[in-house]
Amino acid sequence: MAKITKANSVGEWLDQRLNTTTFNKVMMTEYWIPKDINFLWAMGVLLATTFGILLISGIFLLMYYKPDVNLAFDSVNYTIMQEVAYGWLFRHMHGVAASVVFLIIYIHMFTGIYYGSYKQGREMIWISGMLLFVTFSAEGFSGYMLPWGQMSYWAAMVITNLFGGVPVIGDALVVWIRGDFNVADATLTRFFMLHVFLLPLVIMALIAFHFYTLRIPHVNNQTSEEFDFDAEAEKYLSGNKKESKVIPFWPIFISKDLAVLGIFLIFYFYLVFFHYNFAMDPVNFDPADNMVTPAHIYPEWYFLWSYEVLRGFFFDIAGVKAFDIGLAAFGFANIIFVILPWLDRDTKILPAHKRPAFFIWFWILMVDLIILTIWGKLPPTGNNAWVGFFAATAFILLFVLLPIVTKIDAKKRGE
Amino acid sequence: MSNETNRRDFLGYTFAAVAAVGGAASLVGMKQAWDPLPSVLAGGFTTIELSGIKAGEPETFTWRGKPIFVLKKTAEMENNKRDLVIGEDRFTVAIGLCTHLGCIPAWKKTKWKCACHGGEFNPSAEQVFGPPPRPLDLPPFSVKGTQIVLGEEGPEYKKIAAAMKNA
């Protein structure tokens, strides 16, 4: 046992037993952050906060929600919204945060792509981040099902049907996932379990892992400059703060994060109180009906781009069924970002504005994703179907071309 | 056995074997817990009376929670290998879920149109536009006079299913 002596303060008492001083150093006061980073690097703290809001508001909703096809709709739309004190607030905080969390994830992700933060040495940060994105997607989808409105039901129908595309066992797999021939009570209760327990648990573990992956390669910076964190930390600790390129996370860097967080929370609560319905589809205020499909169904805004890639291929090509092409393209869209570190053939880590060809590639990708998102919500008929087809094809081509694009930049610099 | 294998290795192998058997048994149990319940599988049969259906106006019935389209064809509608012929009448019987991703198509004058991804099916339930990869599925049924019982595989069903497979 460690040497335990009489403590003069609560802090000292805990330090002797839990080594809190060292813990604080490693996690906070001697966790080094480059000085040269902008507000886009605050997205991590924003995400952690938003996840906290989701967790707490979710706990309050959980106390009144009933995972039963006959009770679910009213437990949300009557009990929580009308009867529970501030139930409406918890629901809107949960619903808006679920939507906003994806906005921040996308900003976080594309900041990483722009500054090359997924490259050599930081692959694990990128991969753990993409795993988080996938798990958040599953979490968002399973939560969308729970109010058991028309959109909930048909979203579940479409998503579970996707597994029918798996060769040989597809049809049986769909029945197995649903626990019924149709989306039914068994489906609701198991997705409820996933949403409130298993997936949040996985997300929390992944968040811890994502933070850990940052420890060794450290955070990137605006110029993607490589420097010796230990040497810079040494300078800082010896009092040479001006020359040192790093600052401690706590209490120096966190002040900038908290400033950005303050602005974000103003925006977030503005949405919660004045525009909460942007995240709520009116169709979902009709109770689920397995015999009537709504005239026009589409997912929440954050899935529209991949949804449009899925349905963009609406005709058979060279004897391959449109359905299979769409499914393959959808699979492609969902895994391609994970292997980004290996598609980028440029040997240097540089921000996009210092890589001319990649810079163009990046902004074409942004425009293409926005087009996919907009057209994902429009009816897939006539010209819309063709816009979807070309935008989906462009998306795939962009990633096929990425190794060439990044090689061109390296060559131009004479490497 | 070679001389390098000692008692500790044996303990290791034994532990690995016990863990493997336990792990496999757990997976089987977990898989089966997710299987549909017996009450769901017993799903039941649905009887549909065909005599009251008007030509050219499809009706929708429910079987195992799924919509079933029954269309009595008009004289102008083409003959098809999947027509169920009862006396003078020809019927299309199909599971009313788009074979793309499972939305329910709606009848628009001469065809079923799916709002989700624009798939279209003709009166014989064949896909004519959009992403659906195959015609609307044929539910198993048997014929009893002017009634059909969904959930049973009668000779008429087998004949139509075989004809569809060979196409």
Side-chain angles (χ1 to χ4, degrees):
Chain A
M1 202 160 91
K3 194 169 182 310
I4 305 280
T5 54
K6 185 172 163 38
N8 293 314
S9 69
V10 176
E12 208 177 303
W13 191 90
L14 286 171
D15 189 37
Q16 287 188 18
R17 284 153 185 83
L18 299 173
N19 207 0
T20 44
T21 308
T22 313
F23 184 77
N24 279 338
K25 269 190 184 173
V26 174
M27 301 299 283
M28 315 267 269
T29 59
E30 291 186 16
Y31 169 39
W32 303 104
I33 307 285
K35 279 179 183 170
D36 181 30
I37 59 181
N38 58 34
F39 78 97
L40 290 167
W41 269 267
M43 297 305 140
V45 164
L46 263 53
L47 283 171
T49 309
T50 313
F51 182 70
I53 292 174
L54 282 165
L55 202 68
I56 293 165
S57 56
I59 287 169
F60 282 87
L61 294 173
L62 186 53
M63 293 193 288
Y64 290 96
Y65 174 76
K66 295 199 163 54
D68 178 302
V69 288
N70 298 311
L71 304 172
F73 187 83
D74 286 340
S75 76
V76 174
N77 290 299
Y78 179 72
T79 311
I80 289 171
M81 291 301 285
Q82 308 287 330
E83 288 197 300
V84 179
Y86 294 106
W88 56 272
L89 179 60
F90 287 115
R91 189 202 183 177
H92 289 155
M93 282 176 71
H94 201 72
V96 171
S99 199
V100 167
V101 88
F102 279 94
L103 178 67
I104 308 296
I105 288 177
Y106 284 133
I107 296 174
H108 196 50
M109 205 171 130
F110 289 110
T111 302
I113 296 180
Y114 188 92
Y115 290 102
S117 305
Y118 53 91
K119 297 190 69 176
Q120 299 94 308
R122 295 197 178 88
E123 293 93 338
M124 284 315 295
I125 305 174
W126 180 256
I127 291 170
S128 60
M130 286 312 300
L131 287 176
L132 268 171
F133 175 72
V134 171
T135 326
F136 262 100
S137 299
E139 180 71 2
F141 160 68
S142 56
Y144 194 58
M145 261 188 80
L146 301 185
W148 209 242
Q150 272 291 65
M151 276 297 196
S152 300
Y153 185 89
W154 291 97
M157 185 69 142
V158 170
I159 300 290
T160 49
N161 248 329
L162 283 179
F163 292 92
V166 175
V168 191
I169 57 163
D171 290 339
L173 186 64
V174 172
V175 172
W176 184 72
I177 290 170
R178 289 176 181 164
D180 202 326
F181 299 107
N182 227 7
V183 172
D185 197 59
T187 325
L188 177 61
T189 31
R190 64 186 54 179
F191 276 79
F192 170 72
M193 177 282 290
L194 290 174
H195 184 73
V196 304
F197 178 70
L198 192 54
L199 292 174
L201 202 67
V202 172
I203 286 175
M204 285 186 273
L206 281 172
I207 289 175
F209 181 56
H210 192 56
F211 285 176
Y212 176 68
T213 57
L214 275 164
R215 284 301 140 140
I216 312 299
H218 292 277
V219 137
N220 194 11
N221 56 69
Q222 280 194 82
T223 52
S224 307
E225 184 191 353
E226 260 185 79
F227 52 79
D228 185 341
F229 272 81
D230 293 331
E232 297 301 324
E234 203 71 42
K235 275 189 216 164
Y236 187 93
L237 288 173
S238 65
N240 202 354
K241 296 186 183 178
K242 208 172 167 190
E243 245 173 61
S244 172
K245 286 177 178 168
V246 296
I247 44 174
F249 178 75
W250 184 278
I252 312 294
F253 180 72
I254 191 78
S255 61
K256 185 168 183 170
D257 269 0
L258 291 180
V260 179
L261 181 65
I263 293 163
F264 165 73
L265 287 178
I266 291 169
F267 163 74
Y268 166 72
F269 278 106
Y270 167 73
L271 290 179
V272 169
F273 288 114
F274 299 102
H275 284 287
Y276 52 83
N277 53 352
F278 92 97
M280 308 238 172
D281 197 291
V283 179
N284 220 22
F285 289 90
D286 290 331
D289 183 345
N290 63 342
M291 296 306 282
V292 181
T293 310
H296 181 188
I297 71 161
Y298 39 78
E300 289 289 82
W301 70 268
Y302 41 87
F303 292 142
L304 285 171
W305 68 272
S306 60
Y307 180 70
E308 187 63 12
V309 170
L310 170 73
R311 70 175 191 179
F313 298 92
F314 60 94
F315 52 88
D316 300 358
I317 300 169
V320 185
K321 296 274 184 211
F323 177 75
D324 297 326
I325 301 172
L327 214 56
F330 181 71
F332 178 89
N334 280 284
I335 58 153
I336 198 65
F337 281 106
V338 181
I339 59 164
L340 198 60
W342 293 277
L343 292 177
D344 190 332
R345 306 301 299 165
D346 196 333
T347 45
K348 266 227 173 85
I349 304 172
L350 285 170
H353 54 261
K354 291 191 180 156
R355 303 163 74 187
F358 180 78
F359 187 74
I360 295 166
W361 180 92
F362 178 86
W363 288 109
I364 293 176
L365 176 67
M366 286 295 102
V367 171
D368 192 43
L369 285 171
I370 291 167
I371 290 172
L372 285 168
T373 301
I374 294 170
W375 262 267
K377 197 158 186 168
L378 299 175
T381 45
N383 286 339
N384 286 343
W386 285 103
V387 172
F389 171 74
F390 287 118
T393 312
F395 177 84
I396 292 169
L397 276 180
L398 276 170
F399 282 91
V400 173
L401 289 175
L402 184 58
I404 303 165
V405 168
T406 47
K407 256 270 154 27
I408 290 172
D409 281 327
K411 271 229 176 95
K412 259 195 200 149
R413 286 197 313 269
E415 285 164 26
Chain B
M1 275 200 181
S2 72
N3 289 333
E4 279 98 64
T5 309
N6 55 36
R7 292 188 197 189
R8 281 190 194 285
D9 290 339
F10 176 76
L11 283 176
Y13 299 143
T14 313
F15 177 73
V18 171
V21 171
S26 308
L27 283 179
V28 170
M30 286 192 254
K31 189 261 171 197
Q32 289 188 359
W34 274 58
D35 279 340
L37 300 173
S39 56
V40 167
L41 290 175
F45 305 93
T46 303
T47 305
I48 298 174
E49 176 61 51
L50 297 178
S51 56
I53 294 171
K54 285 190 199 131
E57 292 174 29
E59 291 198 28
T60 307
F61 302 89
T62 312
W63 169 67
R64 285 186 179 171
K66 292 177 186 180
I68 301 293
F69 293 162
V70 180
L71 168 69
K72 182 171 168 182
K73 286 187 164 179
T74 59
E76 299 91 66
M77 288 173 181
E78 49 141 30
N79 279 316
N80 190 282
K81 57 184 182 295
R82 81 179 277 176
D83 289 350
L84 169 63
V85 183
I86 296 178
E88 296 284 284
D89 303 323
R90 290 178 295 131
F91 293 92
T92 297
V93 180
I95 296 177
L97 296 172
C98 176
T99 47
H100 181 221
L101 291 174
C103 297
I104 302 176
W107 179 256
K108 306 272 176 191
K109 285 180 189 151
T110 57
K111 56 188 161 192
W112 282 286
K113 279 194 178 188
C114 185
C116 296
H117 304 97
E120 292 180 7
F121 301 88
N122 68 16
S124 302
E126 285 167 333
Q127 78 279 25
V128 285
F129 176 80
R134 58 177 194 275
L136 293 177
D137 291 323
L138 184 71
F141 61 84
S142 65
V143 181
K144 285 182 184 143
T146 57
Q147 292 182 333
I148 57 171
V149 181
L150 292 163
E152 291 177 349
E153 295 192 3
E156 295 85 355
Y157 162 80
K158 283 182 183 152
K159 218 175 99 190
I160 293 173
M164 284 172 67
K165 228 178 199 173
N166 296 330

